[in-house]
Amino acid sequence: MASITRYPWISHFLGSPTGYVVHLQKGSVRHQGVGQAFWYRPANSVLSEIPVDDQELPTLFHAITRDHQDVSVQANVTYRFIDPVAVSSRLDFGLQLAGAGPAGGREQVATIIGQLCQSHAIDQIATTTLAQALERGVSQLRAVLTEALRADTRLLSTGIEILGVQVLAIRPESDVERALQTPVREQLQAEADRAVYERRAVAVERERTISENEMASQIELATRREHLVAQEGANARRAAEEKAAAGFIEAQASAERQGINSSAEANQIRLVGEAAAAREAATMAVYQGMEQATLLALALREAAGSLPDIGNLTITPDLLSGALAGLFREPAGGTVPASAAPATAGSTGK
């Protein structure tokens, strides 16, 4: 911003690097340029300062689409002054005294550019429907406004150059916008619900897979347990069979041993019996040629060997006479020994 130092009857002007000053004195240009510094007399001088940096102008206006829908257009125009002298001669950029109102040059430029933008935008939007305007109206309107503003003769003659046009938004009324957003919101909600359902389905599928894996594991464990039980039963049966076979073999061996022992014992008994029978036969053969008295004596001797000890023995006459009679009985052949004859007679006489 330029600074002015005022003195009595004279003032000093010091310009800024972005302000182009035009000093008119009695209708003639005395000083012009950027960053000027000079003295002047306020009584016969007019100063105009035109900004030479880029200027931003936001605009907002309404338009009607082909299907009679009201939309609001928000745009931003970037421009600059390329001919400050022409601008100062056609727009009011004069430096005012302290306490006076601001110059209206900027407002004039805003009005001119805003009206041009609104006019061309209304013509363009009137040829499109609301759906088309919302879908691709921003790019189309930007191209139309850029071309129209750059080719406008009034702006060119004034010394204004359009650097760029940005269409920020084309929006319908709030209720229409909500109505248009409803299908999309419903679709997005449906997509969200579908995603939730799919996620739940995936979770259920994973749970089912886990359950199937657990069931398969249990079935596998049960099958292995069944095989183990069957194997244990087979092992126990085989052990019992082996034990039974071993017991059978042992019993068979024991029976064979008992048979052998019995046969040996029977043979022994038979041999002993045969020996005893032979001995008895031999004894009987010896006894056959012996006398009765001798046999009786042998019998008494055998009996005496098996009788218990006798402390006292009483022999009656009857027993003694019978025994003696047996001793001296006549042999079966009728021949009596000579030594026995007197005893017999004596015994009989007695």
Side-chain angles (χ1 to χ4, degrees), residues 207-219:
E207 291 179 358
R208 186 181 65 82
T209 303
I210 294 173
S211 300
E212 290 180 355
N213 292 335
E214 291 179 353
M215 187 177 298
S217 299
Q218 293 178 0
I219 293 174

PDB file of all heavy atoms in Angstrom, residues 207-219:
ATOM      1  N   GLU A 207     -16.594 -70.521  11.348  1.00  0.00           N
ATOM      2  CA  GLU A 207     -17.001 -71.298  12.515  1.00  0.00           C
ATOM      3  C   GLU A 207     -17.392 -72.718  12.110  1.00  0.00           C
ATOM      4  O   GLU A 207     -17.061 -73.684  12.800  1.00  0.00           O
ATOM      5  CB  GLU A 207     -18.163 -70.600  13.212  1.00  0.00           C
ATOM      6  CG  GLU A 207     -17.778 -69.287  13.894  1.00  0.00           C
ATOM      7  CD  GLU A 207     -18.967 -68.622  14.561  1.00  0.00           C
ATOM      8  OE1 GLU A 207     -20.083 -69.174  14.453  1.00  0.00           O
ATOM      9  OE2 GLU A 207     -18.785 -67.559  15.183  1.00  0.00           O
ATOM     10  N   ARG A 208     -18.123 -72.831  10.962  1.00  0.00           N
ATOM     11  CA  ARG A 208     -18.497 -74.159  10.493  1.00  0.00           C
ATOM     12  C   ARG A 208     -17.259 -74.973  10.147  1.00  0.00           C
ATOM     13  O   ARG A 208     -17.170 -76.165  10.471  1.00  0.00           O
ATOM     14  CB  ARG A 208     -19.403 -74.036   9.275  1.00  0.00           C
ATOM     15  CG  ARG A 208     -19.968 -75.365   8.784  1.00  0.00           C
ATOM     16  CD  ARG A 208     -20.839 -75.152   7.567  1.00  0.00           C
ATOM     17  NE  ARG A 208     -20.042 -74.664   6.460  1.00  0.00           N
ATOM     18  CZ  ARG A 208     -19.319 -75.430   5.655  1.00  0.00           C
ATOM     19  NH1 ARG A 208     -19.285 -76.740   5.863  1.00  0.00           N
ATOM     20  NH2 ARG A 208     -18.632 -74.921   4.657  1.00  0.00           N
ATOM     21  N   THR A 209     -16.303 -74.317   9.507  1.00  0.00           N
ATOM     22  CA  THR A 209     -15.060 -75.025   9.177  1.00  0.00           C
ATOM     23  C   THR A 209     -14.336 -75.480  10.435  1.00  0.00           C
ATOM     24  O   THR A 209     -13.830 -76.607  10.511  1.00  0.00           O
ATOM     25  CB  THR A 209     -14.160 -74.098   8.343  1.00  0.00           C
ATOM     26  OG1 THR A 209     -14.856 -73.668   7.168  1.00  0.00           O
ATOM     27  CG2 THR A 209     -12.886 -74.824   7.930  1.00  0.00           C
ATOM     28  N   ILE A 210     -14.314 -74.566  11.432  1.00  0.00           N
ATOM     29  CA  ILE A 210     -13.656 -74.940  12.698  1.00  0.00           C
ATOM     30  C   ILE A 210     -14.387 -76.098  13.352  1.00  0.00           C
ATOM     31  O   ILE A 210     -13.766 -77.049  13.856  1.00  0.00           O
ATOM     32  CB  ILE A 210     -13.600 -73.714  13.628  1.00  0.00           C
ATOM     33  CG1 ILE A 210     -12.670 -72.630  13.038  1.00  0.00           C
ATOM     34  CG2 ILE A 210     -13.136 -74.110  15.015  1.00  0.00           C
ATOM     35  CD1 ILE A 210     -12.681 -71.335  13.799  1.00  0.00           C
ATOM     36  N   SER A 211     -15.754 -76.018  13.345  1.00  0.00           N
ATOM     37  CA  SER A 211     -16.534 -77.113  13.930  1.00  0.00           C
ATOM     38  C   SER A 211     -16.297 -78.420  13.180  1.00  0.00           C
ATOM     39  O   SER A 211     -16.148 -79.491  13.788  1.00  0.00           O
ATOM     40  CB  SER A 211     -18.019 -76.750  13.914  1.00  0.00           C
ATOM     41  OG  SER A 211     -18.267 -75.572  14.662  1.00  0.00           O
ATOM     42  N   GLU A 212     -16.270 -78.337  11.847  1.00  0.00           N
ATOM     43  CA  GLU A 212     -15.999 -79.541  11.058  1.00  0.00           C
ATOM     44  C   GLU A 212     -14.607 -80.090  11.350  1.00  0.00           C
ATOM     45  O   GLU A 212     -14.422 -81.311  11.451  1.00  0.00           O
ATOM     46  CB  GLU A 212     -16.146 -79.232   9.569  1.00  0.00           C
ATOM     47  CG  GLU A 212     -17.582 -78.991   9.135  1.00  0.00           C
ATOM     48  CD  GLU A 212     -17.681 -78.680   7.651  1.00  0.00           C
ATOM     49  OE1 GLU A 212     -16.602 -78.560   7.011  1.00  0.00           O
ATOM     50  OE2 GLU A 212     -18.807 -78.567   7.137  1.00  0.00           O
ATOM     51  N   ASN A 213     -13.648 -79.192  11.492  1.00  0.00           N
ATOM     52  CA  ASN A 213     -12.295 -79.653  11.822  1.00  0.00           C
ATOM     53  C   ASN A 213     -12.265 -80.312  13.195  1.00  0.00           C
ATOM     54  O   ASN A 213     -11.624 -81.363  13.383  1.00  0.00           O
ATOM     55  CB  ASN A 213     -11.324 -78.474  11.771  1.00  0.00           C
ATOM     56  CG  ASN A 213     -11.134 -77.948  10.362  1.00  0.00           C
ATOM     57  OD1 ASN A 213     -11.328 -78.675   9.389  1.00  0.00           O
ATOM     58  ND2 ASN A 213     -10.742 -76.693  10.230  1.00  0.00           N
ATOM     59  N   GLU A 214     -12.977 -79.673  14.163  1.00  0.00           N
ATOM     60  CA  GLU A 214     -13.024 -80.275  15.495  1.00  0.00           C
ATOM     61  C   GLU A 214     -13.720 -81.631  15.446  1.00  0.00           C
ATOM     62  O   GLU A 214     -13.266 -82.602  16.065  1.00  0.00           O
ATOM     63  CB  GLU A 214     -13.756 -79.334  16.458  1.00  0.00           C
ATOM     64  CG  GLU A 214     -12.989 -78.048  16.764  1.00  0.00           C
ATOM     65  CD  GLU A 214     -13.763 -77.140  17.689  1.00  0.00           C
ATOM     66  OE1 GLU A 214     -14.945 -77.461  17.986  1.00  0.00           O
ATOM     67  OE2 GLU A 214     -13.190 -76.120  18.136  1.00  0.00           O
ATOM     68  N   MET A 215     -14.853 -81.698  14.692  1.00  0.00           N
ATOM     69  CA  MET A 215     -15.562 -82.968  14.578  1.00  0.00           C
ATOM     70  C   MET A 215     -14.692 -84.013  13.886  1.00  0.00           C
ATOM     71  O   MET A 215     -14.654 -85.191  14.293  1.00  0.00           O
ATOM     72  CB  MET A 215     -16.866 -82.764  13.806  1.00  0.00           C
ATOM     73  CG  MET A 215     -17.765 -83.984  13.769  1.00  0.00           C
ATOM     74  SD  MET A 215     -19.326 -83.632  12.922  1.00  0.00           S
ATOM     75  CE  MET A 215     -19.981 -82.367  13.994  1.00  0.00           C
ATOM     76  N   ALA A 216     -14.004 -83.581  12.819  1.00  0.00           N
ATOM     77  CA  ALA A 216     -13.100 -84.502  12.134  1.00  0.00           C
ATOM     78  C   ALA A 216     -11.996 -84.979  13.069  1.00  0.00           C
ATOM     79  O   ALA A 216     -11.612 -86.162  13.060  1.00  0.00           O
ATOM     80  CB  ALA A 216     -12.513 -83.833  10.887  1.00  0.00           C
ATOM     81  N   SER A 217     -11.497 -84.051  13.895  1.00  0.00           N
ATOM     82  CA  SER A 217     -10.462 -84.442  14.863  1.00  0.00           C
ATOM     83  C   SER A 217     -11.015 -85.442  15.867  1.00  0.00           C
ATOM     84  O   SER A 217     -10.360 -86.438  16.207  1.00  0.00           O
ATOM     85  CB  SER A 217      -9.937 -83.200  15.572  1.00  0.00           C
ATOM     86  OG  SER A 217      -9.357 -82.300  14.651  1.00  0.00           O
ATOM     87  N   GLN A 218     -12.268 -85.175  16.357  1.00  0.00           N
ATOM     88  CA  GLN A 218     -12.878 -86.111  17.292  1.00  0.00           C
ATOM     89  C   GLN A 218     -13.116 -87.471  16.646  1.00  0.00           C
ATOM     90  O   GLN A 218     -12.885 -88.521  17.266  1.00  0.00           O
ATOM     91  CB  GLN A 218     -14.197 -85.526  17.805  1.00  0.00           C
ATOM     92  CG  GLN A 218     -14.022 -84.285  18.676  1.00  0.00           C
ATOM     93  CD  GLN A 218     -15.341 -83.699  19.120  1.00  0.00           C
ATOM     94  OE1 GLN A 218     -16.408 -84.213  18.773  1.00  0.00           O
ATOM     95  NE2 GLN A 218     -15.295 -82.632  19.899  1.00  0.00           N
ATOM     96  N   ILE A 219     -13.590 -87.437  15.371  1.00  0.00           N
ATOM     97  CA  ILE A 219     -13.797 -88.706  14.661  1.00  0.00           C
ATOM     98  C   ILE A 219     -12.477 -89.449  14.485  1.00  0.00           C
ATOM     99  O   ILE A 219     -12.397 -90.672  14.668  1.00  0.00           O
ATOM    100  CB  ILE A 219     -14.472 -88.444  13.306  1.00  0.00           C
ATOM    101  CG1 ILE A 219     -15.901 -87.919  13.517  1.00  0.00           C
ATOM    102  CG2 ILE A 219     -14.494 -89.700  12.457  1.00  0.00           C
ATOM    103  CD1 ILE A 219     -16.580 -87.491  12.240  1.00  0.00           C
TER     104      ILE A 219
END
